[in-house]
Amino acid sequence: SAALLAGVFVLGIGTGVTVDSQVNTNPKDLASRDAVDKNAPNPTLCTKYGASAMAFDQRVFVSFNPFNVYVAQADVKPACVLRPANVVPVLKEEKKLVNDAEIRGCKMNMNTWAFVGDLNDQPQLSCVYKSEDAQNEFLEDPKRGIGEDYLDDDRAKTGKATGKLVKDNLTEAQKKM
């Protein structure tokens, strides 16, 4: 009886640890697609006519004398990207937020529309380009990063091209620092 009670106790602790580590209980933690969907602006409309997303507002400042690049911390906001077929019914006809000229201008570049904020209360609309080059590195090969990394030199030796340009020395401005 004591052994059974101890076994149940250990099983309960194990189950509790497993559930606690797998269940997202913090509303500020966007650890799943469902959490992103729920936090999107106009979540029902977004999942019906497009896809929930995250918008990263980033500022980059470049000074020329001396040449320097400064990057501000990104501001992340919940967003929604509409499927191209749904732009006219939703943004033009239902919400009356864009006109024919804006839709034509965006469509000419094979773009669609995305928004941040509630569509009923002054949303920030953007004509966005769908990058065909975008890849989900989590599902592909996470060892291959973007930009320069320590593996670039090793790949050159193995004959696998990375398509990246690797800096091998400092620029004149970097040498003066």
Side-chain angles (χ1 to χ4, degrees):
S1 155
L4 179 65
L5 191 57
V8 169
F9 179 74
V10 169
L11 181 64
I13 296 288
T15 304
V17 168
T18 302
V19 168
D20 186 49
S21 64
Q22 296 297 323
V23 175
N24 180 9
T25 57
N26 184 353
K28 292 185 178 182
D29 183 13
L30 296 178
S32 71
R33 191 184 76 200
D34 293 332
V36 174
D37 287 344
K38 289 177 189 172
N39 286 293
N42 306 93
T44 305
L45 180 139
C46 188
T47 54
K48 183 176 179 182
Y49 296 114
S52 57
M54 292 185 291
F56 293 83
D57 290 336
Q58 178 85 45
R59 288 188 180 209
V60 178
F61 299 87
V62 179
S63 66
F64 294 102
N65 192 10
F67 181 82
N68 285 303
V69 177
Y70 303 91
V71 181
Q73 186 170 351
D75 186 18
V76 183
K77 299 175 183 176
C80 181
V81 179
L82 294 174
R83 288 188 291 276
N86 296 322
V87 170
V88 172
V90 174
L91 295 183
K92 181 180 179 262
E93 295 170 359
E94 184 182 332
K95 302 294 182 183
K96 301 189 183 340
L97 294 170
V98 293
N99 59 38
D100 287 328
E102 291 168 323
I103 291 173
R104 245 187 336 272
C106 188
K107 204 174 198 178
M108 278 183 6
N109 296 319
M110 297 187 301
N111 294 315
T112 188
W113 290 84
F115 63 92
V116 171
D118 190 331
L119 283 178
N120 300 315
D121 186 25
Q122 298 179 332
Q124 297 173 352
L125 296 172
S126 299
C127 177
V128 295
Y129 174 77
K130 179 183 176 188
S131 171
E132 299 297 332
D133 295 331
Q135 301 172 29
N136 186 343
E137 294 292 337
F138 288 99
L139 300 177
E140 297 296 322
D141 184 2
K143 294 178 186 169
R144 290 191 66 195
I146 57 174
E148 299 176 34
D149 61 26
Y150 72 96
L151 295 174
D152 286 336
D153 295 335
D154 296 337
R155 284 197 200 112
K157 292 175 190 171
T158 62
K160 293 182 182 177
T162 63
K164 297 184 236 176
L165 297 175
V166 179
K167 291 192 299 188
D168 58 353
N169 55 16
L170 299 175
T171 64
E172 291 301 318
Q174 289 171 326
K175 290 177 185 175
K176 291 179 184 177
M177 293 179 86

